[in-house]
Amino acid sequence: MKKSLLVIDIEKEKDKFKKCIEILKNGGTVVFPTETVYGLGANALNEKAVKKIFLAKNRPQDNPLIIHIHSLEMLDMVAKDFPFYTINLFKRFSPGPLTIILPKKDSIPPIVSAGLNTVAIRIPSNYIAKKLLEETKLPIAAPSANRSGKPSPTSFEMAVEEMNGRVDAIINGGNCEIGIESTVIKAEFNKITILRP
């Protein structure tokens, strides 16, 4: 099994960080820190890339993924026909650990949403996650970077233990600030439903 590229310090290893950006643009997989847990990322617009997430995690394909974007400017790339109040929710609670489920754009492959017509979206606040998203200019599908049934990694060491050799690269962001998954809500025109506190 080929070892993953390990990026220990994005400031001192800028070439390696740039390599991670190219990996994502070219359909590869990169594990990166967020403020909640480490995520296993791939280009959300690339079906073949997203399939690699499921293979690395041994995750059933009927389990939808969360898409990460760097700002509200990217929302129109992934969602459509959403309630206007959604913008206020993102402005109030993002960047941060809030995921909102909205009607998805046709550009999002069915594998991302497990065939549903909705998609989960969030804007992370972690510096490395934001930098990665800004520089790839892509929506990144990224569930937690663990094999299915294992605890979500909250440190670089845990992420390496889970994913080294299963992904193309792993970026060190130290310990995650929050350490539990984001709150998930479904936003509809007539109601808001909390699916995960």
Side-chain angles (χ1 to χ4, degrees), residues 6-14 16-17 171-172:
L6 300 183
V7 184
I8 306 301
D9 187 323
I10 69 165
E11 297 302 329
K12 294 178 180 177
E13 299 177 315
K14 291 181 179 178
K16 283 187 179 181
F17 185 70
I171 301 174
N172 183 11

Side-chain angles (χ1 to χ4, degrees), residues 25-59:
K25 287 182 175 180
N26 293 322
T29 50
V30 175
V31 170
F32 62 94
T34 77
E35 70 279 12
T36 56
V37 298
Y38 274 73
L40 165 51
N43 178 0
L45 304 176
N46 183 329
E47 183 176 3
K48 288 182 179 179
V50 173
K51 283 181 179 177
K52 294 176 184 177
I53 292 175
F54 289 93
L55 289 172
K57 285 177 62 72
N58 291 328
R59 180 185 176 106

Side-chain angles (χ1 to χ4, degrees), residues 160-192:
V160 171
E161 184 177 344
E162 281 294 297
M163 288 291 145
N164 197 11
R166 292 174 170 266
V167 297
D168 297 307
I170 304 173
I171 301 174
N172 183 11
N175 294 330
C176 297
E177 180 183 352
I178 296 174
I180 56 172
E181 285 85 352
S182 62
T183 296
V184 178
I185 67 170
K186 186 172 184 179
E188 299 173 281
F189 282 97
N190 59 344
K191 65 178 178 178
I192 296 174

Side-chain angles (χ1 to χ4, degrees), residues 84-150:
F84 182 75
Y85 70 78
T86 302
I87 302 295
N88 291 330
L89 284 175
F90 274 120
K91 285 180 177 178
R92 173 66 179 83
F93 296 105
S94 294
L98 175 69
T99 297
I100 303 179
I101 297 176
L102 299 172
K104 79 176 185 73
K105 275 274 180 75
D106 294 338
S107 56
I108 302 299
I111 190 172
V112 174
S113 61
L116 300 173
N117 60 3
T118 55
V119 68
I121 303 159
R122 91 176 187 93
I123 304 171
S125 63
N126 176 276
Y127 167 74
I128 294 174
K130 287 172 67 177
K131 189 173 177 67
L132 198 68
L133 290 161
E134 286 168 1
E135 296 202 22
T136 58
K137 297 179 174 61
L138 291 169
I140 301 296
S144 56
N146 56 289
R147 285 168 283 178
S148 290
K150 297 287 190 72

